[in-house]
Amino acid sequence: MSTPASNDHDARTFRRRRNRLVQALYDRGIQNQRVLDAIGAVPRHKFVEPAFRDRAYDDEALPIGLNQTISQPFTVAYQTSLLEVDPQDRILEVGTGSGYQAAVLCEMEARVFSIERHEELLERTRTLLDELGYAVRTRHGDGTNGWPAFAPFDGIVVTAAAPLLHQLREPNGIDGGRLVIPVGKSDGQTMTRVVRTGSGPDDYQREEFHNFRFVPLVEGDDSESE
Ligand code: SAH
């Protein structure tokens, strides 16, 4: 049984660990203060399996049940930095998973749309996001084709390659929408950012960053394949 006093103690412990995680991410090169503040605000221990709570603020990917993992904080911070999220930006995430990345985007005051193919996982994540007050619009299904009904997006963040470029918004000043996506084979991918620079089919600019290793983006929803 946990008592109110032990809850307070837990909350303090988690807060202290979260601050240390933010410092560790800063030391590893994450300099975007809004991203660091968001990571410092999201209770990651609520997004992992209870057995792993004590490791929730280590910089590692962890099991969330149903054979899925929550991304490593560094990866989330890195992708979110590349996205360059401004308040009120409309962001599409493909692969809701635990909901952690979506929560980080909410803390940055983005309007978040997220698609997850695994129905049971999404239901659980929905409950958690509601409980924590994160207003994410979610959809169960295949994210490979994006979410045309809500396009255009200021940013799209994905776990593998997909035909999403035309859903990015056109520039309305300097730059257009941004897609942050790991591109490559299953044994390693290059984090790539594609920015829409005009309205034509070739009006995209591509930059490459560090290497990561993601789970594959699988086509179809889980009811079709599992
Ligand atoms: N962003 C998540 C981690 C994602 S793990 C977090 O913060 O926890 C990748 C997720 O993408 C898994 O949950 C997987 O089920 C989902 N996924 C894989 N292929 C997909 C597809 N085609 N459409 C939607 N979701 C997909």
Side-chain angles (χ1 to χ4, degrees):
M1 270 300 284
S2 73
T3 61
S6 73
N7 283 341
D8 280 358
H9 174 264
D10 281 0
R12 271 201 310 275
T13 306
F14 287 134
R15 199 173 323 120
R16 209 169 37 237
R17 290 183 189 164
R18 198 151 59 231
N19 291 339
R20 269 206 299 270
L21 170 64
V22 168
Q23 183 61 46
L25 293 173
Y26 179 84
D27 292 343
R28 280 194 72 184
I30 304 293
Q31 276 154 14
N32 184 316
Q33 193 58 47
R34 280 181 22 88
V35 172
L36 293 172
D37 288 347
I39 300 242
V42 177
R44 190 170 187 261
H45 61 278
K46 304 237 162 128
F47 292 80
V48 304
E49 262 192 285
F52 291 93
R53 283 204 160 174
D54 275 346
R55 284 159 61 184
Y57 297 102
D58 293 348
D59 191 13
E60 60 180 347
L62 289 172
I64 54 173
L66 303 167
N67 271 329
Q68 304 294 321
T69 53
I70 181 171
S71 301
Q72 185 184 352
F74 179 71
T75 307
V76 173
Y78 195 97
Q79 283 200 289
T80 312
S81 301
L82 290 180
L83 259 188
E84 296 179 349
V85 182
D86 285 323
Q88 304 313 313
D89 270 3
R90 298 162 57 83
I91 304 291
L92 174 67
E93 175 190 34
V94 175
T96 317
S98 68
Y100 178 70
Q101 164 91 69
V104 169
L105 291 166
C106 285
E107 291 287 351
M108 297 177 76
E109 294 166 69
R111 283 174 288 175
V112 187
F113 303 81
S114 186
I115 307 176
E116 170 58 54
R117 66 185 286 275
H118 195 308
E119 190 165 24
E120 200 184 334
L121 175 61
L122 181 61
E123 268 170 33
R124 217 185 55 190
T125 295
R126 259 262 54 96
T127 307
L128 178 66
L129 290 170
D130 289 344
E131 237 171 65
L132 297 175
Y134 290 119
V136 178
R137 194 182 281 247
T138 54
R139 192 183 99 184
H140 167 237
D142 180 6
T144 357
N145 295 314
W147 198 344
F150 288 104
F153 300 101
D154 295 293
I156 302 179
V157 55
V158 197
T159 50
L164 294 163
L165 293 177
H166 64 279
Q167 290 184 43
L168 290 172
R169 72 163 164 73
E170 293 172 17
N172 57 0
I174 318 159
D175 280 333
R178 308 160 292 280
L179 172 68
V180 174
I181 184 166
V183 178
K185 307 223 174 77
S186 58
D187 59 348
Q189 306 94 26
T190 305
M191 192 67 78
T192 305
R193 176 167 60 190
V194 186
V195 180
R196 188 157 194 181
T197 54
S199 54
D202 298 323
D203 292 337
Y204 297 93
Q205 192 189 316
R206 177 187 169 122
E207 302 157 89
E208 293 187 346
F209 297 85
H210 287 97
N211 289 324
F212 289 86
R213 199 169 159 172
F214 278 83
V215 298
L217 184 74
V218 189
E219 208 168 336
D221 63 37
D222 62 335
S223 58
E224 291 163 25
S225 63
E226 283 167 26

